[in-house]
Structure formats: C-alpha cells, structure tokens
Amino acid sequence: MIDRQYIGHTMPKFSVAVEKGRLRFFAKATGQTDPVYTDEAVAQAAGHPGLPVPPTFFFCLEMESPDPAAIRNLLGLDYRRVLHGEQGFTYHRMAYAGDVLTYEQRIEDIYDKKGGALEFVVRKTRVTNQRGEHVADLRSITVQRNA
C-alpha cells in the first residue's frame, strides 16, 4: 500500500522557459491550424504579446522537472503496474513564448478502490509566471494496480 503520510507532500519548485520553437512544434504535432500558435505577427495582430502557449502544453513543460519520476520514486510506485488515470487543466491566464514558468507539485490525495487492488495518487501542480501570476493548475491521477 502506498503510504498515506505523503498526502500534502510538496516537491521542490522548478522553472522552465517557454521557447518559441517548441510551441510551434507542439502546435503542429497536435494539429493546431490557427496561425496564432505559429506566426508571431498573427499572434500580435490578435492582441497577444507573442506566441501563446497551446492548450495542454503545460504538461509537456512539467516533464522538464529535474526528475520527472520523483513522485513515483518517492512513493515507491512500481512502474510496471502504473497507469495514467486522468489529467485535467484549469487555466487562469495566458502564458507566452519568453515566459518563465514555475511549477509547484503537490500530492493532493492517495486512496484505493477494490479492496486495495487499485491505488490512486492525485497530483496537483500550480503554475506561475515570472511575475508570480497564477497561470494554471494541472491535475493528474496515477493508478497503481496491486497484485
């Protein structure tokens, strides 16, 4: 069983610079057809200071953590039994190329179902920009199947 003492545990903060090239690549890879995501002139004409961060790109940047497996390692999760259960985003303000985003990950909850056969870890991540403004909240649920 995953130790419930880690509910509320916060991981060390880390920051990631948002790069234009990665935004363009992500927009293309995810089928974004709106040129506001790839053409700076179009983005500025639409009232943006630069290329906006496309939806869900915050998750990609979260993987820039110094140790993307830190929570899994902390909790002793068996990678062979882990599933990505759910993911959600709450957006509070726009982020743009050139921003430096800071990620604060917190273990929000740990619970089980089916008599402990399935265990769930809920991670909430707060994202702020270089001005300390709240940009987004990411929510992810990891599921571990137990023997």
Side-chain angles (χ1 to χ4, degrees):
M1 296 292 287
I2 301 170
D3 193 337
R4 301 320 195 248
Q5 78 169 345
Y6 291 109
I7 296 172
H9 184 83
T10 302
M11 304 303 287
K13 294 180 188 180
F14 64 93
S15 297
V16 181
V18 180
E19 301 170 357
K20 291 179 207 177
R22 290 189 66 195
L23 291 179
R24 287 184 180 112
F25 182 78
F26 183 83
K28 182 178 179 181
T30 57
Q32 294 287 339
T33 57
D34 187 343
V36 76
Y37 293 109
T38 56
D39 186 322
E40 284 185 87
V42 172
Q44 290 174 348
H48 299 289
L51 294 178
V53 172
T56 72
F57 187 69
F58 293 108
F59 178 73
C60 295
L61 292 175
E62 187 174 27
M63 292 299 103
E64 297 293 315
S65 163
D67 180 5
I71 290 177
R72 190 176 69 228
N73 294 336
L74 174 73
L75 300 177
L77 300 180
D78 182 348
Y79 191 75
R80 298 167 297 174
R81 297 176 183 214
V82 168
L83 298 170
H84 179 77
E86 183 180 316
Q87 185 173 330
F89 302 87
T90 303
Y91 302 101
H92 301 286
R93 68 178 56 248
M94 296 292 294
Y96 299 96
D99 283 349
V100 176
L101 302 178
T102 298
Y103 284 72
E104 300 174 64
Q105 300 172 322
R106 181 177 187 271
I107 299 171
E108 197 77 2
D109 198 7
I110 300 170
Y111 60 93
D112 66 90
K113 291 185 177 181
K114 299 193 181 241
L118 298 173
E119 291 186 280
F120 297 78
V121 177
V122 181
R123 179 182 76 230
K124 186 173 181 184
T125 304
R126 179 182 172 93
V127 182
T128 55
N129 63 21
Q130 65 275 12
R131 293 177 296 282
E133 299 166 331
H134 191 186
V135 174
D137 290 308
L138 288 59
R139 185 173 184 270
S140 178
I141 299 178
T142 300
V143 182
Q144 177 169 269
R145 179 184 51 82
N146 293 321

